[in-house]
Amino acid sequence: MKRIFLLSLLLPAVIFGQVKPKTTTATKSADGYTINGTVTGYEDSATVTLLNGQTGAQLDQATIIKGKFSFKGKMDEPDFRILLFNGQPPFITLFLDNSNIKITGNKATLDHAVVTGSVANKIFTEYNNEITPYQYLFNDDAPYDSIAIEKAAAISKNFAKKYPNSAVSALAIIRFNQITEDEKATEELYNSLTESVKGSGMGKYIAQLIADAQRTPIGSKVPDFTQTDTAGNPVSLSSFRGRYVLVDFWASWCRPCRAENPNVVANYNKYKDKNFTVLSVSLDQAKPAWLDAIKMDGLTWQHVSDLRGWQNAVAQQFGIMNIPQNILVAPDGTLAGKNLRGPKLNRRLSRLLK
């Protein structure tokens, strides 16, 4: 289910990484939502499943009776939801808020169903219609296209300024940051948002991006570190001076890390003969599991770890609170990129290693 969401909305995978455990407090909205749907073409007893757009988790399920179905619930904040019919695509994507929502459509043209009654979803539809011609820029294999990036960035920037009180603008800013990697402009757009949007899940993610940028700005000197490799030999970051090196934080037990490894392998193989390499820092505690994962995932570059889990000294040094995460160090030892997951890694390397 998660793949369905990512293909339709193309949000950055980093939002769904393995996060260091911490205590959080949720706030509740006083109002709720209702969804009343009329969708023809399905037999009675067909199921409609409401999914969390970010995790793919099933939240509720209804049955179609005489072409109608309904849901009731409460949102803490506007967020993505998916309506899946009989467990199969096509599906309906909503930016759901606490509103009285009506949906009308037909099984044959479900992806063109009409959704009314939700201000958040109306704004999301407006943004999605504008950005659709450039959605390929968010694909894993998207080529670097400076003209298309400039146009898509302008759409996202203008949209965020037009709707500073909408959570959809947080999505627009995230996408702006994805394709431009312009941290200063991202911060300016974030500061234009209302406090309620800043406090949303996506707003907090942008704040995290900004905080990371301020802590280690692009072009700043990356501090050296030394940790032992799989054979117990010390390896220093400074020993890679003269090459681009991706310092990749991961662990064998981290599912998002293991899912990201093929992307790192592909980029390593593509650029290893162009002055590029990888140095992986593992947050493992059990050495056998660490070694097995290296072999299983075909990670043929150098690896280091002190086998202290989240207390890994290098992870502590760089303030790593979620994995997978990485930094790209330039040949002169300065920061050339960070959080380069998925297509972002290839985009950055393709610009630097022509």
Side-chain angles (χ1 to χ4, degrees):
M1 299 304 183
K2 182 177 178 181
R3 179 170 175 79
I4 290 174
F5 170 75
L6 293 176
L7 286 173
S8 63
L9 302 180
L10 303 168
L11 283 175
V14 69
I15 294 179
F16 313 116
Q18 191 79 36
V19 181
K20 183 176 181 179
K22 62 181 179 181
T23 302
T24 59
T25 303
T27 58
K28 295 289 185 180
S29 170
D31 302 316
Y33 64 82
T34 60
I35 300 174
N36 290 306
T38 301
V39 178
T40 59
Y42 287 98
E43 296 180 357
D44 283 358
S45 78
T47 60
V48 185
T49 307
L50 181 67
L51 303 175
N52 183 311
Q54 297 196 34
T55 66
Q58 178 175 323
L59 302 175
D60 203 351
Q61 191 169 76
T63 301
I64 293 179
I65 300 176
K66 295 182 179 179
K68 298 183 182 296
F69 65 91
S70 64
F71 290 99
K72 288 186 178 181
K74 186 180 292 186
M75 298 294 293
D76 295 334
E77 61 187 46
D79 203 354
F80 292 107
R81 295 293 184 261
I82 290 173
L83 290 176
L84 193 63
F85 293 74
N86 277 339
Q88 298 177 347
F91 47 87
I92 297 174
T93 302
L94 302 173
F95 202 92
L96 185 60
D97 57 8
N98 289 316
S99 301
N100 294 319
I101 299 163
K102 291 184 179 181
I103 298 175
T104 56
N106 181 273
K107 179 180 180 181
T109 57
L110 197 59
D111 51 344
H112 292 93
V114 176
V115 180
T116 59
S118 167
V119 173
N121 193 74
K122 182 179 180 181
I123 294 174
F124 168 67
T125 301
E126 179 183 337
Y127 175 66
N128 218 32
N129 288 341
E130 290 184 35
I131 203 70
T132 291
Y134 306 101
Q135 281 194 345
Y136 70 92
L137 293 173
F138 302 92
N139 294 338
D140 289 350
D141 57 352
Y144 176 67
D145 185 336
S146 60
I147 295 176
I149 288 174
E150 183 178 351
K151 291 180 179 179
I155 289 171
S156 297
K157 181 178 181 179
N158 293 337
F159 193 91
K161 289 184 175 181
K162 182 179 179 181
Y163 295 109
N165 63 340
S166 171
V168 182
S169 289
L171 168 63
I173 295 173
I174 290 172
R175 287 180 168 176
F176 174 87
N177 180 264
Q178 277 182 273
I179 57 177
T180 67
E181 300 174 18
D182 188 334
E183 295 167 340
K184 183 178 180 181
T186 297
E187 182 175 3
E188 291 174 355
L189 289 173
Y190 171 79
N191 288 335
S192 70
L193 298 175
T194 61
E195 292 303 315
S196 62
V197 178
K198 289 180 180 178
S200 67
M202 285 186 285
K204 290 176 181 177
Y205 172 69
I206 300 170
Q208 179 186 329
L209 292 177
I210 294 169
D212 289 345
Q214 293 173 339
R215 182 168 54 246
T216 53
I218 299 296
S220 62
K221 206 72 175 179
V222 178
D224 195 18
F225 63 82
T226 300
Q227 207 156 82
T228 55
D229 64 13
T230 57
N233 301 313
V235 176
S236 298
L237 176 61
S238 57
S239 66
F240 294 87
R241 191 64 57 84
R243 287 182 287 174
Y244 283 96
V245 55
L246 184 75
V247 182
D248 186 39
F249 295 90
W250 76 300
S252 66
W253 44 261
C254 167
R255 283 191 174 185
C257 301
R258 303 295 293 275
E260 177 67 11
N261 278 344
N263 180 55
V264 181
V265 170
N267 280 279
Y268 173 74
N269 290 334
K270 184 175 181 179
Y271 296 106
K272 66 181 179 180
D273 296 327
K274 296 184 178 182
N275 206 35
F276 170 75
T277 191
V278 180
L279 173 63
S280 285
V281 179
S282 171
L283 275 64
D284 274 285
Q285 291 181 294
K287 189 171 183 178
W290 175 37
L291 298 180
D292 286 346
I294 292 172
K295 182 178 180 180
M296 187 179 302
D297 292 1
L299 314 181
T300 57
W301 48 81
Q302 282 194 284
H303 297 260
V304 297
S305 181
D306 59 12
L307 298 175
R308 294 173 56 195
W310 284 109
Q311 301 306 311
N312 180 287
V314 180
Q316 294 282 307
Q317 177 181 338
F318 287 91
I320 301 300
M321 299 297 291
N322 58 73
I323 53 175
Q325 194 170 152
N326 58 51
I327 60 172
L328 181 64
V329 183
D332 63 356
T334 59
L335 186 66
K338 51 193 172 182
N339 297 326
L340 301 174
R341 289 178 57 188
K344 290 182 68 176
L345 178 57
N346 181 60
R347 287 198 197 103
R348 179 54 63 91
L349 293 177
S350 66
R351 297 181 195 183
L352 297 172
L353 305 174
K354 298 179 181 179

